[in-house]
Amino acid sequence: MVVLAASIISKSGKPLVSRQFVDMSRIRIEGYLAAFPKLVGTGKQHTYVETENVRYVYQPIESLYLLLVTNKQSNILEDLDTLRLLSKLVPEYSYSLDEEGICKSAFELIFAFDEAISLGHKENVTVAQVKQYCEMESHEERLHKLVLQSKINDTKDVMKRKASEIDKSKIEKNRGERGGFMPLQSMSSGRIDSGFGSDTSLPSTGGGYGSSSGFGLTTDIDSFSTKSKGRPAASATAPPKGLGMQLGKTQRTNQFLESLKAEGEVIVEDVRPTVGQSKPVAPPPTDPVTLNAEEKLNVTLKRDGGISNFDVQGTLSLQILNQDDGHIQVQVETGGNPAILFKTHPNINKELFNNENILGLKDPSRPFPTGQSGDGVSLLKWRMQSGDESLVPLSINCWPSVSGNETYVNIEYEAFSLFDLQNVVISVPLPALREAPSVRQVDGDWRFDSRNSVLEWSIVLIDNSNRSGSMEFVVPPADPASFFPISVRFTAASTFSDLKVANILPLGGGPAPKFSQRTLLTTETYQVV
């Protein structure tokens, strides 16, 4: 048997992955591949087609063909055995059996084909052995990378020492030129006088709208002082130049490192982690006033039916771009659900909210703060707990059953009609497998995470067209408990509270600023145990 080439082509004849194993011209191989679609489709239930010169042995893979081009003297049984091995390798290296997935994993497939076929002859290997051969590392390469990384680290240390020496010499030089220190009183008084003049009645720290959320007067005072000067906020708090000794990190301290970065050098600096650094960054607001209503869902369902935990926690946040738009009140509309308990911020007028559903400060003369990072300042929080299973946005049923040497697992979902769910991912844990499970039927897409042994079932959108769906796959014999807990994650544009911003009420008498509202429902923990 001599395999001339192995290829994955579309049913239109477009070659996606092709590997040649014998010394033959490229034009000739391409001619064989181009002639194959014309020979298939006659309605015969064969897996091979013969011509005067070669034999095509093929197997359909969804909308593609896995094709072997061999000579006519080869053993058809060996051809089919080789084709069967390659058909098992394709799902191992391609996350989806379509043109996009095959093209993205083309090189991995070619390497796997090389391990299965050598010089046109099939190697006596299994799928596990091919994966092991493709994943083997070189000790010399690893040692070379360690030595190279050590040199890079040494070079960075040298650069930092040189930068420190240069900075110290500049400080000594400035100290000799200026002669003496500037009194610290001038530093502090210069900052206070620039912002407030002789008015000392306003507090500078504490006593605001909650220091943890940035709802105080410090941010407003700093922004007012910097705007009056017409320069960035960083310059308002920076000490005057030319000091004999400078405490803290200034722009001149890293001048040498910045010059290296400008030349393309990669500089790794120690960065102190900030709170909420891992939280995904929301798109920056474009309207003068933006309100974000976000709910986080925590649900624990029982595998045999019923609900163990159902908890919804929501927050309404406010972001204001300009200080002039801070004298406002926010009128909201709630869905009227008595199971939802609302709590306002301590500086919000609670009676005004309870009577008229208006969120405003206790002191109407004070504006809402501006320039808040993240989602802004929290105005309102709410929570809902229930044991009613009908409120669950997405219910999951999993039915594992052992039959002979196989375990059949059927999973179905059913979505609540009031929510359109987006980017739904259902993660099913699997027992340790050497190969991917055999998926017989699925509504949507699936992916097998071999490292964590998890099968991920993904649906881009669940709306009225697909409120229910199912999936069936087969694995070797396993304990039914090994398929739990099932984890689910999704997002939705609707919320349980159905809270909406009705209007923005200006307190200064002018027109109401333009506002926008963002609503989001996310899953924090959503499991079937």
Side-chain angles (χ1 to χ4, degrees):
M1 165 194 173
V2 177
V3 178
L4 305 180
S7 179
I8 300 177
I9 65 175
S10 64
K11 290 191 176 180
S12 61
K14 175 184 177 182
L16 306 178
V17 176
S18 182
R19 182 68 175 98
Q20 179 179 340
F21 297 102
V22 296
D23 187 11
M24 186 179 294
S25 65
R26 176 183 174 183
I27 298 178
R28 188 176 178 184
I29 291 294
E30 291 178 350
Y32 288 149
L33 297 179
F36 172 72
K38 302 176 183 178
L39 303 175
V40 181
T42 58
K44 298 181 180 180
Q45 299 297 323
H46 293 299
T47 58
Y48 70 93
V49 176
E50 290 187 354
T51 62
E52 295 181 359
N53 301 319
V54 295
R55 174 188 297 154
Y56 298 95
V57 185
Y58 63 93
Q59 176 180 337
I61 303 179
E62 295 188 1
S63 61
L64 309 175
Y65 282 115
L66 176 61
L67 174 64
L68 290 181
V69 182
T70 68
N71 57 6
K72 296 184 65 175
Q73 290 76 26
S74 65
N75 190 334
I76 185 63
L77 297 179
E78 293 183 3
D79 295 344
L80 294 176
D81 188 38
T82 305
L83 185 66
R84 190 178 302 110
L85 175 61
L86 298 184
S87 66
K88 294 180 180 179
L89 290 174
V90 173
E92 291 289 338
Y93 292 94
S94 178
Y95 68 93
S96 63
L97 299 179
D98 53 11
E99 293 190 16
E100 182 181 359
I102 295 296
C103 291
K104 285 185 177 181
S105 56
F107 289 103
E108 290 80 2
L109 290 171
I110 291 176
F111 296 151
F113 287 176
D114 283 341
E115 297 295 337
I117 302 175
S118 177
L119 299 177
H121 298 278
K122 177 183 178 297
E123 293 287 339
N124 188 17
V125 293
T126 62
V127 175
Q129 289 175 335
V130 171
K131 293 180 65 178
Q132 181 181 3
Y133 297 156
C134 292
E135 294 174 358
M136 291 182 69
E137 298 181 356
S138 170
H139 176 72
E140 290 77 8
E141 180 183 2
R142 186 163 59 251
L143 182 61
H144 172 72
K145 289 182 178 179
L146 291 176
V147 173
L148 183 61
Q149 186 64 37
S150 177
K151 293 181 179 179
I152 293 175
N153 295 336
D154 293 341
T155 305
K156 290 179 181 178
D157 293 338
V158 172
M159 286 192 298
K160 288 184 178 181
R161 287 198 299 268
K162 293 291 185 182
S164 178
E165 293 175 1
I166 294 174
D167 294 335
K168 288 181 180 180
S169 64
K170 288 183 178 180
I171 292 174
E172 294 293 338
K173 183 179 179 181
N174 291 333
R175 181 182 300 175
E177 292 178 355
R178 300 295 179 181
F181 303 156
M182 180 176 288
L184 295 177
Q185 294 179 355
S186 63
M187 294 169 59
S188 59
S189 62
R191 180 172 181 265
I192 294 176
D193 295 341
S194 64
F196 304 111
S198 60
D199 187 6
T200 59
S201 61
L202 293 177
S204 60
T205 58
Y209 198 94
S211 58
S212 61
S213 62
F215 224 124
L217 295 177
T218 306
T219 304
D220 301 335
I221 293 172
D222 290 343
S223 62
F224 175 76
S225 62
T226 55
K227 287 184 179 181
S228 64
K229 291 291 182 180
R231 56 187 179 185
S235 63
T237 58
K241 297 184 178 181
L243 294 179
M245 179 181 294
Q246 295 182 355
L247 300 178
K249 199 172 185 180
T250 63
Q251 295 180 355
R252 295 174 56 189
T253 307
N254 285 333
Q255 185 176 4
F256 180 68
L257 295 179
E258 292 297 333
S259 63
L260 292 178
K261 291 179 181 179
E263 294 176 1
E265 295 290 338
V266 179
I267 306 299
V268 180
E269 300 184 60
D270 294 333
V271 180
R272 180 175 298 177
T274 58
V275 177
Q277 188 173 4
S278 60
K279 184 179 179 180
V281 179
T286 56
D287 294 321
V289 178
T290 303
L291 294 109
N292 300 298
E294 182 179 0
E295 288 185 351
K296 294 183 179 180
L297 185 60
N298 294 275
V299 175
T300 303
L301 302 173
K302 299 178 181 178
R303 68 182 72 174
D304 298 328
I307 184 171
S308 297
N309 178 44
F310 182 87
D311 181 66
V312 179
Q313 296 183 6
T315 305
L316 177 65
S317 303
L318 172 68
Q319 278 185 311
I320 301 177
L321 295 182
N322 301 320
Q323 181 69 30
D324 299 336
D325 299 327
H327 292 84
I328 59 172
Q329 291 180 341
V330 181
Q331 185 176 13
V332 298
E333 295 179 356
T334 60
N337 190 345
I340 299 179
L341 302 177
F342 291 93
K343 289 185 179 181
T344 59
H345 194 278
N347 280 24
I348 291 291
N349 191 335
K350 186 177 297 184
E351 295 182 359
L352 183 63
F353 173 74
N354 294 333
N355 297 331
E356 304 180 26
N357 282 346
I358 294 178
L359 297 169
L361 295 176
K362 292 181 179 179
D363 185 2
S365 62
R366 289 176 51 189
F368 283 105
T370 60
Q372 299 294 320
S373 60
D375 293 335
V377 292
S378 299
L379 303 181
L380 185 66
K381 292 186 178 181
W382 61 91
R383 186 173 184 179
M384 183 182 73
Q385 293 180 325
S386 176
D388 188 2
E389 191 176 0
S390 62
L391 296 177
V392 175
L394 188 69
S395 60
I396 306 294
N397 293 322
C398 181
W399 301 85
S401 59
V402 180
S403 176
N405 294 327
E406 294 179 328
T407 300
Y408 292 83
V409 182
N410 291 273
I411 303 177
E412 60 180 1
Y413 72 83
E414 186 172 358
F416 192 22
S417 59
L418 295 182
F419 291 94
D420 289 344
L421 308 181
Q422 303 171 358
N423 302 322
V424 182
V425 178
I426 303 173
S427 301
V428 183
L430 302 179
L433 301 177
R434 301 182 62 182
E435 299 181 1
S438 176
V439 178
R440 303 292 178 87
Q441 183 268 332
V442 60
D443 294 331
D445 298 324
W446 67 277
R447 186 182 72 89
F448 176 60
D449 186 357
S450 58
R451 177 174 298 179
N452 299 317
S453 191
V454 173
L455 180 63
E456 293 185 351
W457 178 17
S458 59
I459 305 99
V460 177
L461 176 64
I462 296 180
D463 54 10
N464 292 328
S465 63
N466 58 343
R467 290 295 176 188
S468 60
S470 60
M471 177 183 187
E472 181 183 3
F473 62 90
V474 181
V475 296
D479 183 8
S482 61
F483 301 100
F484 297 91
I486 299 175
S487 301
V488 184
R489 64 179 185 270
F490 58 81
T491 60
S494 303
T495 57
F496 283 91
S497 64
D498 197 20
L499 187 141
K500 298 180 181 178
V501 178
N503 197 7
I504 297 294
L505 307 176
L507 298 180
K514 184 181 179 182
F515 73 94
S516 62
Q517 180 183 6
R518 303 171 181 171
T519 58
L520 180 66
L521 174 67
T522 60
T523 55
E524 194 167 27
T525 57
Y526 201 108
Q527 290 184 334
V528 181
V529 298

